[in-house]
Each structure stands twice: as C-alpha cells, then as structure tokens.
C-alpha cells in the first residue's frame, strides 16, 4: 500500500469562514462541520481540516493541479481581489511564474497561510 496523506489540520481564527474561502477559491464543496473541524475534501484521499486556534504560525500548502484547474482558480482569485504573486516572498507582485514547464502562483488565505498552486513540477527522483 502506498503512503497517502489523509488529512491535515489547518489552524484558523474562524474555521468555517476559512473552510468556505478555501472551498470557494479551489472550486470545492464545504459541507459543514465534522466533529469540531470544518473539513474540505480536496480529493478522494485528502481533507483539509480547518480548526479554531487563537494563535499559530502561518503554514505553506502547495497543490499540483491541471491547467484547467489553474485557469479556474486563477480567475476566482482575481475575481475576489486576492493579492497573488510569482514567488513565496513576493505574493503580491501580481505575476505568475512559469517554472518547470508549468505555471504557478502564491496567495494568502484569510489566516495568513501561504497557498501555492502549480501545474507541473520537475521530477524529484
């Protein structure tokens, strides 16, 4: 059996609003709370489980997506007026990158977490 990431807990000041933002931007569904989490199913094996926290460090979450998903996510980020950028330390330069024969960009969620989407990455073997 392959090792698969099943879920990760994402600390948030407002877990429901954060789950709704994530789901809206990524074109996913938020179906309400589960136990004390506000989960969003990313794919058949992974959920992002948003949970309330008063204080926390920001995290980086990176997603490999298709070109079609890239176009849709990029359009939603622009429609919502979310700042984005081409580099992890330039998340507001209004540019996308074209690394590894693909496209990518970074943006922050309402909690300050860095979200990255990319269409292709180099082999790391």
């Amino acid at each position: 059996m392959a090792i698969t990431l099943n879920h990760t807990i994402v600390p948030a000041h407002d877990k429901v609003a954060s789950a709704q933002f994530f789901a809206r931007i990524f074109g996913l569904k938020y179906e309400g709370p589960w136990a004390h989490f506000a989960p969003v199913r990313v794919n058949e094996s992974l959920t992002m489980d948003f949970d309330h926290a008063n204080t926390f460090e920001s995290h980086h979450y990176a997603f490999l997506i298709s070109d079609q998903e890239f176009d849709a996510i990029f359009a939603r980020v622009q429609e919502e007026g979310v700042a984005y950028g081409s580099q992890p330390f330039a998340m507001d330069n209004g540019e996308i990158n074209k690394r590894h024969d693909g496209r990518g960009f970074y943006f922050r969620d309402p909690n300050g977490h860095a979200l990255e989407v990319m269409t292709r990455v180099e082999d790391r073997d």
Side-chain angles (χ1 to χ4, degrees):
M1 179 172 157
I3 297 173
T4 304
L5 182 62
N6 178 266
H7 67 276
T8 191
I9 297 171
V10 182
H13 297 294
D14 182 331
K15 64 186 178 185
V16 171
S18 298
Q20 290 170 334
F21 171 85
F22 181 81
R24 192 171 57 252
I25 293 294
F26 281 80
L28 304 168
K29 287 184 183 178
Y30 170 63
E31 297 181 351
W34 184 79
H36 65 277
F37 296 112
V40 176
R41 178 152 300 284
V42 176
N43 57 40
E44 62 281 345
S45 65
L46 175 64
T47 59
M48 303 290 280
D49 293 350
F50 293 86
D51 194 14
H52 175 77
N54 289 321
T55 60
F56 50 86
E57 294 180 9
S58 63
H59 300 286
H60 177 180
Y61 302 98
F63 300 90
L64 180 60
I65 59 177
S66 70
D67 284 318
Q68 182 179 4
E69 289 165 325
F70 182 95
D71 293 338
I73 291 168
F74 188 56
R76 288 189 287 269
V77 164
Q78 290 179 309
E79 286 167 8
E80 292 211 15
V82 175
Y84 64 92
S86 60
Q87 303 295 325
F89 298 105
M91 288 193 217
D92 60 357
N93 67 8
E95 299 175 5
I96 65 170
N97 65 58
K98 295 189 175 163
R99 294 193 294 259
H100 313 297
D101 297 324
R103 298 178 291 163
F105 69 95
Y106 301 79
F107 62 101
R108 293 202 180 276
D109 81 348
N111 300 289
H113 297 304
L115 301 175
E116 177 184 3
V117 293
M118 63 192 113
T119 58
R120 188 169 177 193
V121 298
E122 67 185 10
D123 268 340
R124 294 186 177 174
D125 292 340

